[in-house]
Amino acid sequence: MAAPARGPTGGSRAGLRLVLVLQLLLLLRPRGAAAGGDETGVATPTGACGCGTPQRPGAQGSTAAAHRYSWEANAPGPDPDPGPDPSPDPRPQPAKMVPLPAGLFTMGTDEPQIRQDGEAPARRVAVDAFYMDAFEVSNADFQKFVNATGYVTEAEKFGDSFVFEGMLSEHVKMGINQAVAAAPWWLPVKGANWRHPEGPDSTVLHRLDHPVLHVSWNDAVAYCTWAGKRLPTEAEWEYACRGGLENRLFPWGNKLQPRGQHYANLWQGKFPASNTGEDGFRGTAPVDAFPPNAYGLYNMVGNAWEWTWDWWAVHHSTEETLNPKGPPSGKDRVKKGGSYMCHKSYCYRYRCAARSQNTPDSSASNLGFRCAADLLPGAG
């Protein structure tokens, strides 16, 4: 289940107002209105909005601000906001990073499940050796970053973020009378951000080891820059996800539950009505939950969508390429891996070849990231 996206803005002030009004009229309608689907009322699983990627007004931002949150630009000093997990050292202890060898692999697939996402064709891609975070960036990790820099996420600046309705308290839902038209389970919640994933009456104090959520692409770049790392390219991410396996659906093979064991945090039940939580979780899971793949990487699919560096494109060359970084510009950034909201009947995007996109300022209750690096931080 992909996260909603904020939309681009531009032009004159009068034109901007018109764009905002039109986008809001298109994207938001009263709660309870039916979602798009077939004549039986079942939501279309892979239509244009099948994975819930509506856009709403918001500045896309850029990487220009990232340096302000780099280690070099933030000398050690007193914590501006100690928060739930204060650290005497404002520089994060390096999260476990896994060395990945240089290699040649098959990226994408010639058997796409969601054609409009640009999963095809299968193509040979070579990547240089690099390092990848073994885990998604956790709430505890992100708290250290905020403590050291005073960083304010885009969700906090906007004042709201999208949250899956099934995770909200009745008190919060009572105050919301709009939903995303194409996916009415996505609700704009005031006060929802990484500290309060389900709105003001929620907290991360009891889940500091879960992936940080409600982080935009710009937020992720700022964190990675501060930690002396970067976001992985889509090719690096997919290479890491596959764990050395060729032409397999998942990081561990082709069978979703080998020997009846759950290997990822996904949706069990009928989406979006009921999640049985057979894998042990109805929301996110700790970043070290479930077995790692052959490279020692955890939760590469499921749990939380993960941002990559690349701009979005759906047409790819079949010529063998080295270290591709996607198109030079675009409107959306690529995200990979799916989330705890993914189910084969609606969002079969928890495969290594699967992909989706959002505007760089988008945030939601199923969207996070992990970092990559050419060298281990501090080793250069």
Side-chain angles (χ1 to χ4, degrees):
M1 183 64 222
R6 299 182 192 270
T9 60
S12 68
R13 182 169 299 179
L16 174 60
R17 289 198 203 96
L18 178 60
V19 170
L20 300 186
V21 170
L22 289 175
Q23 286 181 320
L24 285 172
L25 287 174
L26 286 171
L27 297 180
L28 298 177
R29 65 179 177 186
R31 289 184 60 202
D38 61 22
E39 60 186 7
T40 66
V42 177
T44 307
T46 57
C49 292
C51 214
T53 56
Q55 297 183 350
R56 70 172 185 175
Q60 289 190 35
S62 69
T63 61
H67 175 73
R68 290 167 47 208
Y69 304 101
S70 67
W71 173 245
E72 292 78 8
N74 288 272
D79 268 351
D81 177 12
D85 186 34
S87 171
D89 181 1
R91 190 171 191 178
Q93 297 302 310
K96 180 181 178 183
M97 298 200 82
V98 174
L100 274 70
L104 183 67
F105 78 108
T106 301
M107 184 175 179
T109 177
D110 284 330
E111 298 179 353
Q113 301 298 309
I114 308 175
R115 290 183 178 276
Q116 69 268 26
D117 282 356
E119 296 178 358
R123 60 247 185 226
R124 298 295 283 172
V125 170
V127 295
D128 290 333
F130 66 102
Y131 289 85
M132 188 82 148
D133 283 352
F135 313 109
E136 294 159 320
V137 173
S138 69
N139 287 310
D141 296 330
F142 203 77
Q143 176 67 52
K144 293 176 182 177
F145 163 57
V146 171
N147 284 350
T149 65
Y151 185 83
V152 178
T153 62
E154 293 196 285
E156 291 170 288
K157 293 175 183 176
F158 280 110
D160 61 14
S161 188
F162 287 101
V163 182
F164 173 57
E165 183 176 18
M167 302 300 293
L168 293 173
S169 68
E170 290 302 317
H171 174 72
V172 169
K173 284 191 283 188
M174 284 175 59
I176 303 172
N177 34 18
Q178 289 182 313
V180 175
W185 45 86
W186 280 119
L187 303 182
V189 177
K190 293 187 181 302
N193 54 57
W194 76 271
R195 298 177 188 273
H196 308 289
E198 293 82 48
D201 62 352
S202 65
T203 180
V204 296
L205 287 175
H206 61 290
R207 44 182 158 165
L208 291 173
D209 58 345
H210 286 226
V212 65
L213 305 173
H214 297 288
V215 284
S216 69
W217 184 91
N218 296 311
D219 297 332
V221 168
Y223 174 93
C224 291
T225 302
W226 172 71
K229 306 177 186 180
R230 58 176 173 79
L231 283 176
T233 65
E234 182 181 5
E236 289 174 333
W237 192 100
E238 190 166 327
Y239 177 73
C241 179
R242 293 183 179 277
L245 300 178
E246 280 285 314
N247 300 313
R248 297 294 187 271
L249 293 172
F250 312 117
W252 55 86
N254 281 329
K255 191 173 181 180
L256 182 59
Q257 293 177 237
R259 299 176 297 280
Q261 181 178 0
H262 290 284
Y263 276 67
N265 179 19
L266 303 169
W267 187 283
Q268 291 95 41
K270 186 176 181 179
F271 185 85
S274 63
N275 184 358
T276 64
E278 291 175 10
D279 58 18
F281 305 94
R282 288 187 173 87
T284 56
V287 297
D288 59 353
F290 303 98
N293 71 1
Y295 284 154
L297 303 170
Y298 293 74
N299 289 299
M300 289 298 293
V301 298
N303 216 28
W305 280 98
E306 298 181 15
W307 288 110
T308 72
W309 176 261
D310 297 31
W311 289 109
W312 173 260
V314 295
H315 301 291
H316 316 287
S317 171
T318 56
E319 295 183 7
E320 185 173 308
T321 56
L322 173 65
N323 298 322
K325 292 181 173 62
S329 62
K331 180 178 74 70
D332 297 332
R333 296 284 185 171
V334 177
K335 59 185 182 181
K336 299 279 282 185
S339 78
Y340 67 89
M341 293 174 63
C342 282
H343 188 276
K344 188 174 182 179
S345 68
Y346 199 86
C347 183
Y348 192 28
R349 289 179 170 90
Y350 47 90
R351 296 164 289 113
C352 290
R355 55 206 300 271
S356 190
Q357 88 274 24
N358 280 85
T359 53
D361 58 356
S362 293
S363 62
S365 61
N366 67 346
L367 183 52
F369 69 105
R370 76 178 72 210
C371 304
D374 297 318
L375 299 171
L376 282 175

